[in-house]
Amino acid sequence: MEHRKPENFADRIALGLTLALRFVADTFFAKRYGHRAVVLETVAGVPGMVAGMWQHLRSLRGMKHDSRGWIKTLLEEAENERMHLMIFVEIAKPNAFERYAILFAQAIFWNFYFLLYVFFPKVAHRMVGYFEEQAVISYTQYLEQVEAGEIENIPAPALAIEYYGLQQDATLRDVILSVRADEAGHRDENHQMADVLSATKGEPLGSSAK
C-alpha cells in the first residue's frame, strides 16, 4: 500500500492536516533531514500512545476484550517511534532551539490528537496513515541525499545497530532503510484501522474481525 487516495470529506480533512504539518516541516527544516527527523519523530510518537491509552481505557470501562489487538499494536508503534527519535538524536545532535521546538510541538500535538482521537478516531487514524506516507517520502529523500554523497554516510549509532540487529559496520544508509520500513508499516496499519472504524462506525473493541 502506498498513497491512499481520499475517498470522502473526512479523508480529505485528514490529508489536509497532514500536508499542513508537512508545510511547516519543509519551512523550518528544508533538506536538513536529520534535524527534521528529530522534531517529527517526537510528534510521531504521540498518536500511538494516545490511541493505545484511549483504547485501553475503553476496554476497562466497557469490560470488553481488545480482540483485534489494537492496544498492543498502537503502543508498540509509539515505542518504535520513540526509538527512532533516540537514534536520530545521536545522529543529528539537536541544538537548544530544536529541543525547545520539540517541547512545544509535543505539547500542542498531544492535546490536538487526543481530542481528535476521542471524537473522530477514523480521521485520526487516517491522518496518521497520511503522516506516515509523508515520512516515507522524507526518508526516501534523505536516503537519496546520502547515496548521492550530499550527506555523509556516517557509521550507524550503536543504539541503531542494537535495536535493528544491524551489522557492526552498518551506516546511516542502513538506518534510514530500517526506519523507512517501520514507517511504511505504520502507514498501512493506520489506514487499515481507519477502514475498520469506517466499517464498524467507530467501535474497534469487542469483535473478532481483524
Side-chain angles (χ1 to χ4, degrees):
M1 182 188 295
E2 294 184 2
H3 175 60
R4 173 64 177 264
K5 292 183 178 179
E7 297 178 355
N8 49 48
F9 181 71
D11 288 357
R12 287 190 286 274
I13 289 293
L15 180 57
L17 290 169
T18 300
L19 293 179
L21 290 172
R22 176 65 190 241
F23 175 78
V24 172
D26 288 343
T27 299
F28 280 95
F29 298 102
K31 293 185 178 181
R32 295 169 61 237
Y33 289 105
H35 295 268
R36 176 200 295 251
V38 168
V39 175
L40 293 186
E41 290 296 353
T42 192
V43 172
V46 169
M49 181 59 66
V50 170
M53 175 192 70
W54 187 249
Q55 294 301 334
H56 172 74
L57 294 176
R58 289 188 68 186
S59 177
L60 295 178
R61 291 196 307 270
M63 300 181 188
K64 293 180 180 179
H65 179 53
D66 176 29
S67 55
R68 289 194 178 99
W70 281 23
I71 296 171
K72 184 174 184 292
T73 297
L74 290 164
L75 294 180
E76 286 178 347
E77 176 184 316
E79 172 64 7
N80 179 246
E81 299 288 11
R82 188 185 70 83
M83 291 304 298
H84 292 174
L85 172 63
M86 297 300 104
I87 289 168
F88 280 106
V89 163
E90 295 193 20
I91 292 171
K93 312 270 188 227
N95 58 36
F97 171 78
E98 288 162 340
R99 290 178 182 273
Y100 281 116
I102 287 170
L103 293 175
F104 179 76
Q106 188 181 91
I108 296 296
F109 192 71
W110 171 275
N111 290 285
F112 165 76
Y113 193 80
F114 175 75
L115 292 174
L116 182 67
Y117 197 82
V118 169
F119 294 105
F120 305 103
K122 175 182 175 292
V123 175
H125 279 296
R126 186 72 73 207
M127 186 184 76
V128 175
Y130 286 133
F131 189 89
E132 300 294 1
E133 286 183 13
Q134 293 301 314
V136 170
I137 292 171
S138 290
Y139 282 117
T140 298
Q141 294 169 339
Y142 193 2
L143 181 66
E144 289 170 350
Q145 284 201 332
V146 171
E147 291 179 336
E150 296 174 20
I151 294 177
E152 183 182 358
N153 189 25
I154 61 175
L159 179 61
I161 292 173
E162 179 182 358
Y163 184 67
Y164 285 112
L166 301 174
Q167 299 293 324
Q168 290 300 311
D169 61 351
T171 63
L172 175 58
R173 180 181 183 276
D174 300 307
V175 175
I176 296 171
L177 286 169
S178 298
V179 172
R180 186 178 66 173
D182 288 342
E183 306 295 18
H186 300 328
R187 171 199 65 198
D188 296 346
E189 286 172 349
N190 279 277
H191 278 314
Q192 289 166 5
M193 288 176 175
D195 290 342
V196 169
L197 291 176
S198 181
T200 58
K201 300 187 184 301
E203 177 54 69
L205 295 172
S207 170
S208 60
K210 193 168 186 175

